[in-house]
């Protein structure tokens, strides 16, 4: 459905631009935007490669395992009915990657966590409380270093692209705290 909406909007824009005589500026804008998109993709590939490599080094050195053990009491608090150790491992890896600002690296572990949680789900057509709690926690996205935002700010010429770190920490702490309160409130009412 969204493809149809975007196609319709693009088509309407082209028609209106043609009627108004702005076809040249539209084509210039399309080419400039395409060039900018490619440059941003190349920058993001570098950032993703760097941080994925750092994540692999952290896994090899056992840092991720240590962080996972530190998260264990937190996970027991949030997911009191979670029995699967595989799901717990994937959830803690996902949370660790998010805390480190590696949203890209957290996606595979998040998908694996959902698969493991689905195996425990007694009602396969409905998301379990653990699945909903994990999704809410994941959406809140606690990050200490917002790598992607820093990269975007750098790409677009920010003089101090890392100035977003403190406001980012405050915002993600607030969103994660709100998510935890909501999760525990909903657990109380189910």
């Amino acid at each position: 459905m969204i493809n149809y909406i975007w196609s319709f909007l693009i088509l309407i824009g082209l028609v209106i631009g043609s009627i108004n005589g702005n076809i040249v500026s539209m084509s210039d804008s399309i080419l400039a935007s395409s060039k900018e998109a490619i440059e941003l993709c190349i920058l993001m590939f570098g950032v993703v490669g760097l941080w994925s490599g750092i994540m692999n080094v952290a896994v090899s050195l056992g840092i991720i395992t240590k962080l996972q053990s530190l998260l264990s009491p937190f996970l027991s608090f949030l997911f009191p009915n979670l029995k699967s150790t595989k799901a717990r491992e994937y959830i803690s890896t996902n949370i660790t990657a998010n805390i480190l600002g590696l949203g890209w690296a957290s996606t595979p572990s998040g998908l694996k966590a959902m698969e493991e949680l689905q195996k425990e789900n007694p009602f396969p057509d409905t998301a379990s409380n653990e699945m909903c709690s994990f999704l809410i926690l994941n959406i809140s996205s606690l990050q200490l270093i917002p790598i992607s935002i820093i990269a975007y700010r750098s790409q677009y010429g920010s003089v101090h692209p890392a100035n977003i770190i403190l406001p980012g920490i405050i915002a993600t702490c607030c969103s994660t705290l709100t998510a935890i309160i909501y999760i525990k409130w909903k657990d109380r009412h189910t």
Side-chain angles (χ1 to χ4, degrees):
M1 180 68 177
I2 196 78
N3 290 338
Y4 295 120
I5 294 171
W6 278 111
S7 299
F8 176 74
L9 290 173
I10 291 170
L11 184 62
I12 291 296
L14 289 172
V15 169
I16 291 173
S18 299
I19 292 171
N20 291 336
N22 293 331
I23 202 77
V24 173
S25 61
M26 279 179 32
S27 64
D28 289 344
S29 177
I30 290 169
L31 291 174
S33 296
S34 299
K35 178 184 176 217
E36 193 173 301
I38 295 297
E39 289 173 352
L40 184 60
C41 285
I42 290 170
L43 173 73
M44 294 312 289
F45 282 140
V47 171
V48 169
L50 171 70
W51 286 102
S52 293
I54 289 173
M55 186 72 167
N56 286 336
V57 169
V59 167
S60 299
L61 294 175
I63 295 170
I64 300 302
T65 306
K66 183 66 176 165
L67 287 173
Q68 288 173 347
S69 66
L70 290 173
L71 284 174
S72 186
F74 176 70
L75 292 179
S76 296
F77 170 72
L78 277 182
F79 305 100
N81 300 324
L82 184 62
K83 293 169 183 61
S84 170
T85 56
K86 282 248 205 250
R88 184 178 294 273
E89 181 182 317
Y90 287 129
I91 290 170
S92 60
T93 302
N94 177 275
I95 292 170
T96 301
N98 273 326
I99 287 172
L100 296 175
L102 307 174
W104 312 285
S106 70
T107 301
S109 59
L111 293 173
K112 290 287 191 186
M114 280 298 199
E115 287 175 6
E116 291 297 322
L117 290 171
Q118 181 63 17
K119 289 178 185 175
E120 285 188 3
N121 190 357
F123 307 105
D125 295 338
T126 307
S128 67
N129 281 351
E130 287 76 20
M131 293 170 83
C132 292
S133 296
F134 175 61
L135 184 62
I136 291 166
L137 184 65
N138 206 4
I139 290 170
S140 74
S141 186
L142 178 63
Q143 291 185 14
L144 296 180
I145 305 169
I147 300 300
S148 58
I149 300 301
I150 293 170
Y152 290 136
R153 287 174 49 93
S154 175
Q155 171 69 22
Y156 291 110
S158 174
V159 178
H160 302 288
N163 280 356
I164 195 73
I165 292 176
L166 182 60
I169 290 172
I170 292 168
T172 61
C173 285
C174 290
S175 68
T176 302
L177 182 61
T178 302
I180 292 169
I181 291 169
Y182 180 76
I183 289 167
K184 294 315 280 182
W185 178 71
K186 288 305 275 184
D187 277 348
R188 223 177 114 225
H189 290 38
T190 55

